[in-house]
């Protein structure tokens, strides 16, 4: 009988112990998932910011994430920059054009910001003002484009953004012919957030999509290309496995019972 009483007395203690173990597992798993899911901004690019822009894909001015580029140009010019984007990055490009004095302009003007990948495929913007119209008396026009997250690999038929060089083109698409050639000043800045393993793929490119000629041939991130199998999806998998294992142990401890009831005689 004393053994039965000890088993009954130990039952509440066992339940409390199981609850503590499950609570600790949930906290640990939640912490791991929080670390895996929280996006972190990319570091600002070092070095001197570019003060000019190229006029074609082959002469695009190299740019790093976080750098604020500027360029003096004429209305009607095509302005090109190129920057590297790696796996798991969601980039946002912002441009601002300072327009000529309103007294010398004849009409409104429409400006457009386009982004192309290393294969010169035009990439769509998920949101942002990609095309903006400035009134005749406006002083500036602001544009922005947020791209889809860069994937480590994709099927050949897909148009998914892949690691490599990304070209940025800024130009005017509609204005009065009399306004062509007037001086403008463009400012550009690109930033990126790391979206983590939520957009990781099982396959990966052998090398980034960087052209072998032109100014883009030497473009790469400040800390180098990732080129690794690691992603924070491993943290999600480990946290899920740990929670499942501890939940199974806790469920077994709660449902196994406290031993033979006192009213049941032992079997001879």
């Amino acid at each position: 009988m004393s053994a039965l009483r000890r088993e009954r007395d130990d039952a509440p203690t066992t339940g409390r112990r199981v609850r503590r173990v499950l609570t600790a597992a949930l906290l640990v798993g939640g912490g791991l998932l929080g670390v895996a899911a929280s996006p972190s901004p990319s570091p600002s690019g070092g070095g001197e910011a570019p003060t000019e822009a190229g006029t074609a894909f082959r002469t695009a001015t190299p740019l790093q994430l976080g750098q604020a580029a500027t360029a003096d140009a004429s209305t009607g010019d095509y302005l090109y920059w190129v920057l590297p984007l790696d796996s798991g990055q969601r980039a946002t490009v912002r441009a601002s054009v300072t327009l000529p004095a309103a007294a010398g302009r004849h009409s409104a003007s429409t400006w457009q910001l386009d982004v192309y990948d290393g294969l010169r495929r035009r990439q769509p913007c998920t949101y942002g003002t990609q095309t903006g119209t400035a009134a005749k008396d406006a002083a500036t026009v602001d544009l922005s484009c947020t791209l889809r997250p860069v994937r480590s690999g994709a099927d050949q038929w897909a148009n998914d953004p892949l690691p490599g060089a990304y070209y940025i083109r800024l130009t005017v698409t509609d204005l009065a012919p009399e306004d062509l050639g007037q001086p403008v000043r463009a400012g550009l800045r690109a930033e990126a957030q790391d979206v983590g393993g939520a957009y990781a793929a099982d396959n990966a490119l052998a090398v980034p999509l960087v052209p072998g000629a032109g100014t883009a041939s030497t473009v790469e991130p400040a800390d180098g290309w990732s080129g690794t199998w690691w992603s924070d999806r491993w943290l999600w998998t480990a946290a899920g496995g740990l929670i499942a294992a501890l939940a199974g142990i806790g469920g077994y401890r709660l449902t196994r019972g406290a031993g033979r009831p006192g009213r049941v005689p032992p079997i001879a």
Side-chain angles (χ1 to χ4, degrees), residues 85-136:
L85 291 180
D86 210 346
S87 302
Q89 290 183 327
R90 177 191 279 128
T92 297
V93 182
R94 294 183 175 87
S96 179
V97 182
T98 303
L99 303 171
R105 291 170 17 217
H106 298 81
S107 68
S109 58
T110 301
W111 296 77
Q112 184 165 311
L113 183 68
D114 295 308
V115 181
Y116 299 83
D117 65 6
L119 299 177
R120 299 188 186 181
R121 301 177 302 183
R122 186 174 179 272
Q123 293 296 315
C125 302
T126 56
Y127 55 87
T129 306
Q130 185 178 7
T131 302
T133 299
K136 180 180 179 298

Side-chain angles (χ1 to χ4, degrees), residues 158-209:
N159 192 35
D160 294 332
L162 297 170
Y166 281 74
Y167 297 94
I168 303 169
R169 184 178 72 182
L170 176 65
T171 188
V172 64
T173 59
D174 185 27
L175 82 165
E178 297 83 2
D179 291 338
L180 285 172
Q182 294 192 12
V184 294
R185 184 174 180 83
L188 187 84
R189 184 181 181 90
E191 296 176 339
Q193 279 190 326
D194 187 0
V195 297
Y199 293 90
D202 294 332
N203 54 344
L205 294 178
V207 292
L209 296 176

Side-chain angles (χ1 to χ4, degrees), residues 220-238:
E220 69 174 25
D223 53 354
W225 300 103
S226 60
T228 178
W229 54 268
W230 168 259
S231 75
D232 57 17
R233 288 195 302 175
W234 290 100
L235 296 179
W236 289 76
T237 303

Side-chain angles (χ1 to χ4, degrees), residues 6-58:
R6 283 197 300 271
E7 289 181 354
R8 293 193 185 97
D9 294 340
D10 290 343
T13 304
T14 301
R16 288 193 296 270
R17 186 181 300 115
V18 170
R19 285 194 294 270
R20 287 197 296 269
V21 170
L22 290 177
T23 302
L26 291 174
L27 291 175
V28 172
L32 289 175
L33 295 181
V35 170
S38 58
S40 57
S42 298
S44 298
E48 296 182 0
T51 57
E52 60 181 12
T55 57
F57 284 103
R58 290 178 59 87

